[in-house]
Amino acid sequence: MNARHVLVLPDRDAAEEVAEEVVDRFGLAEEPQLVRDALAGEDDAEDAQWLVVVEDPRQRLDTAALDGLAAEYEGWLEAP
C-alpha cells in the first residue's frame, strides 16, 4: 500500500521551501507535488493554502518529523 502524506502550508513560498527540505532531509527519490488549495467559498488568492503531497511507497517517513518540518513554516501535517 502506498502511503501519502499531506503537509498544509500558509503560502506558496513556504510550500516550495518545505518541498525542497523534505527531499533534502528524507532523501526522497522524487519531488513532492505542490497543490494550491483554495479555502471553501473563498475566491481571494490570499486565502489559499498550499499542500505539499509526499509519496511514501515504503511507508518509511517519520510523521512526527514531517509535522515538525511543516510547523517550522507555520503549517501542519494533515491527519490520514
Side-chain angles (χ1 to χ4, degrees), residues 5-79:
H5 307 285
V6 178
L7 290 78
V8 182
L9 286 303
D11 57 49
R12 183 181 186 125
D13 289 342
E16 288 175 346
E17 289 184 36
V18 167
E20 289 178 18
E21 278 291 317
V22 167
V23 172
D24 291 345
R25 289 191 194 186
F26 300 100
L28 298 182
E30 62 184 69
E31 290 278 324
Q33 180 182 4
L34 298 182
V35 179
R36 183 179 177 273
D37 182 36
L39 299 175
E42 296 292 338
D43 294 327
D44 189 353
E46 294 294 317
D47 293 323
Q49 295 174 324
W50 282 81
L51 308 178
V52 177
V53 181
V54 180
E55 299 295 334
D56 186 12
R58 295 187 197 110
Q59 299 183 19
R60 64 180 183 86
L61 298 180
D62 180 351
T63 54
L66 288 171
D67 190 44
L69 172 59
E72 291 176 30
Y73 294 87
E74 299 179 9
W76 65 89
L77 175 65
E78 194 70 23

